Amino acid sequence: MSKDTLSITDNRTGKTYEVPVQDGTIKAMDLRQIKVAADDFGLMTYDPGFMNTASCKSRITFIDGDKGILNYRGYPIDQLADQGNYLETAYLLLKGELPSKAQFDAWAEKVTTHTFVHENVKELMAGFRYDAHPMGMLASMTAALSTFYPTSKQVRDAQERERHVNRLIAKIPTLAAFAYRHSMGLPYVYPDNELSYAANFLQMMFKTSELKYKVNPALERALDVLFILHADHEQNCSTSAMRAIGSSEADPYCAAAGAIGALYGPLHGGANEAVLRMLQEIGSKDKVAGFVKEVKESGGDVRLMGFGHRVYKNYDPRAKIIKKMADHVFEVTGRNSLLDIALELERIALEDEYFVKRKLYPNVDFYSGLIYQAMKFPTEMFCVLFAIPRMSGWLAQWQEMIEDKEQKIARPRQIFLGSAQREYVPLHRRG
Ligand code: ACO
């Protein structure tokens, strides 16, 4: 008769243990009882990069990496991208259900009325050098918001949490646009509360002397869809950072600043910027085969940016949607000349044994940069464009973590391989 348990025989002692299996998982703490002696610490698991460790139970985002499935709260990403909008997606992630019309209107109103930032934020922003990277500015300014809202420390108070969740989602586009305007030496543009979330961001970025900035509806929609696609992706590097920092009960602004830092890296959200730089370096379609050869021969040192994923071992469903959407954007902006290089790169890589064997497919970052560039966003802003919508996912995950009774402060173990205890030798007696 089958049982939901796992029997483990410790060949060091000959003892057998039975541990429960629940949801396809054993509890790491159940291994602690496995000891060779009474004073032994007990068995641990070793898992750098959390390749096979579930750090939480979650009900937010589901990914089947082999089948290329991504669902938010059960809704397939392609349906949300086709028919939904970003703000209702954020609501869905945070609350678990799609809003009714009345709930949506109230939510949109709440976000809209929180878009302004304190005037002192502008002075803080002015302290950055002219060439400061906007991700560094965004992380710093997000942390700085914690000083404007000291009650955000009350993370166990659901009402307080909601207030700061709304603020963070509402203000992140303003901070992002201000960072860009600072780097360009342009005056800041204040939020226009009559516009949609995406349109307001576009006007804060690009408005110059016109009284009312006219947002192209196709570009507004494209940006909104990109926001939907980037809203959450379960326990990735930045979300794990958000949860880990939040687990010490730090306020959500500081936790989100840490998540922004994690996203910034080129192996994570910084990849879209790296893809663009890679395509520019390749320079022309005829040089693609040579570049792919270089990647293969580098032994992992040179990577094809925008390819590969820890979870997807199939085409990233978001990349599929973005690739299709690129055509709509290029109809308005004109075709991005780097597209041909990207298409050739994808064609060659998908046929090449190196990439096929390792199941390396284009990820969300492979095509998004081409769209951003066509929309006139500078390359340094690409990762910022990822951080804006991911804020809703980070906050949904943070809330879930705070409410989860099983969660504890994140504190992994280590395997210590350093020196055994030794005697201190005073400086004058060291050779
Ligand atoms: N180009 C070339 N080879 C690659 C690539 C790539 N992009 N990605 C992985 N590989 C190779 C590795 O060299 C390794 O080869 P080996 O088995 O011969 O040693 C094998 O594939 C497995 O790679 P790992 O690094 O072990 O895979 P991991 O799951 O740790 O990494 C990651 C996933 C970081 C996304 C990786 O694929 C990568 O660096 N991709 C490029 C950066 C990128 O596009 N990041 C964005 C990811 S999506 C996101 O964060 C939003």
Side-chain angles (χ1 to χ4, degrees):
M1 206 181 73
S2 81
K3 264 166 75 181
D4 284 336
T5 62
L6 178 74
S7 294
I8 304 166
T9 301
D10 185 348
N11 295 322
R12 299 171 302 173
T13 58
K15 278 197 202 159
T16 296
Y17 304 81
E18 191 172 349
V19 296
V21 177
Q22 203 187 354
D23 302 318
T25 312
I26 60 162
K27 284 192 176 149
M29 279 304 284
D30 284 343
L31 301 178
R32 190 68 76 71
Q33 60 180 312
I34 304 178
K35 300 179 175 196
V36 281
D39 61 351
D40 180 6
F41 182 76
L43 201 66
M44 291 194 299
T45 57
Y46 175 58
D47 189 8
F50 304 110
M51 297 282 288
N52 195 37
T53 296
S55 62
C56 63
K57 292 176 180 166
S58 183
R59 292 179 168 76
I60 302 173
T61 292
F62 172 78
I63 302 175
D64 184 327
D66 292 326
K67 296 196 183 117
I69 292 173
L70 168 61
N71 298 340
Y72 295 159
R73 301 279 191 188
Y75 294 100
I77 192 67
D78 51 319
Q79 291 183 21
L80 290 166
D82 267 0
Q83 301 166 57
N85 66 53
Y86 169 67
L87 273 191
E88 71 172 342
T89 303
Y91 184 102
L92 171 70
L93 290 169
L94 287 159
K95 310 257 183 194
E97 295 297 334
L98 283 166
S100 65
K101 174 79 175 74
Q103 285 167 328
F104 177 76
D105 290 344
W107 163 239
E109 165 80 15
K110 231 182 260 176
V111 171
T112 306
T113 51
H114 281 105
T115 48
F116 279 71
V117 290
H118 194 288
E119 281 292 289
N120 284 4
V121 165
K122 289 196 319 198
E123 285 163 38
L124 285 169
M125 195 73 91
F128 288 108
R129 282 178 63 92
Y130 69 94
D131 58 352
H133 195 288
M135 276 300 274
M137 290 194 254
L138 188 68
S140 312
M141 298 316 300
T142 304
L145 284 188
S146 118
T147 66
F148 292 86
Y149 305 111
T151 58
S152 62
K153 292 184 191 346
Q154 295 163 27
V155 297
R156 294 270 156 218
D157 179 330
Q159 260 183 342
E160 274 298 330
R161 280 205 303 273
E162 190 170 348
R163 200 168 286 149
H164 301 291
V165 163
N166 297 344
R167 283 199 174 116
L168 270 161
I169 292 176
K171 291 184 201 309
I172 189 162
T174 315
L175 295 181
F178 277 22
Y180 166 72
R181 304 287 294 200
H182 172 77
S183 63
M184 298 301 286
L186 289 166
Y188 302 124
V189 176
Y190 283 49
D192 180 340
N193 290 351
E194 284 174 14
L195 298 177
S196 73
Y197 193 79
N200 174 44
F201 176 61
L202 287 170
Q203 73 90 27
M204 287 192 290
M205 285 285 299
F206 299 124
K207 184 171 183 289
T208 49
S209 59
E210 61 277 55
L211 275 180
K212 187 98 185 158
Y213 179 79
K214 277 210 185 71
V215 180
N216 183 299
L219 300 187
E220 176 184 350
R221 176 66 190 151
L223 190 62
D224 203 58
V225 172
L226 283 159
F227 282 175
I228 295 171
L229 300 180
H230 287 90
D232 194 49
H233 214 233
E234 49 116 319
Q235 309 314 314
N236 53 78
C237 179
S238 55
T239 303
S240 300
M242 180 86 193
R243 279 182 176 258
I245 300 171
S247 75
S248 75
E249 301 198 356
D251 71 69
Y253 299 97
C254 289
I260 292 171
L263 187 73
Y264 190 6
L267 298 189
H268 190 14
N272 51 18
E273 183 175 336
V275 169
L276 236 278
R277 297 201 192 284
M278 173 187 76
L279 295 175
Q280 277 160 344
E281 262 167 44
I282 295 172
S284 61
K285 218 171 130 178
D286 55 308
K287 303 230 174 70
V288 168
F291 177 73
V292 171
K293 192 163 169 274
E294 193 190 330
V295 169
K296 291 195 296 182
E297 287 171 358
S298 75
D301 289 343
V302 183
R303 293 205 162 193
L304 182 44
M305 298 312 284
F307 255 70
H309 199 277
R310 172 62 60 77
V311 182
Y312 293 119
K313 300 300 168 198
N314 199 327
Y315 214 102
D316 181 335
R318 301 168 300 175
K320 253 187 223 165
I321 300 169
I322 292 179
K323 194 176 171 189
K324 262 196 265 162
M325 210 178 58
D327 294 331
H328 301 302
V329 172
F330 297 157
E331 268 171 34
V332 178
T333 62
R335 197 176 149 85
N336 188 325
S337 58
L338 296 174
L339 180 67
D340 290 331
I341 304 177
L343 289 170
E344 181 69 354
L345 205 47
E346 182 185 335
R347 187 189 68 76
I348 294 184
L350 292 184
E351 285 173 359
D352 191 293
E353 209 218 314
Y354 176 96
F355 295 91
V356 174
K357 205 172 96 195
R358 290 171 178 76
K359 299 190 175 161
L360 301 170
Y361 290 88
N363 60 47
V364 67
D365 292 316
F366 193 66
Y367 286 105
S368 60
L370 294 174
I371 298 183
Y372 296 145
Q373 194 187 46
M375 288 172 79
K376 306 254 180 308
F377 286 106
T379 317
E380 294 75 33
M381 282 298 285
F382 292 1
C383 191
V384 171
L385 288 157
F386 192 152
I388 293 172
R390 183 55 60 89
M391 185 57 78
S392 57
W394 288 331
L395 290 166
Q397 300 273 350
W398 169 75
Q399 261 191 180
E400 188 178 61
M401 185 268 308
I402 296 277
E403 285 166 6
D404 183 346
K405 299 257 181 302
E406 290 184 8
Q407 280 298 323
K408 288 185 176 298
I409 186 168
R411 194 355 181 143
R413 292 278 174 180
Q414 64 171 2
I415 302 172
F416 181 70
L417 300 176
S419 300
Q421 187 164 308
R422 45 189 172 158
E423 286 300 312
Y424 175 79
V425 180
L427 185 58
H428 66 274
R429 287 191 12 227
R430 276 175 251 151

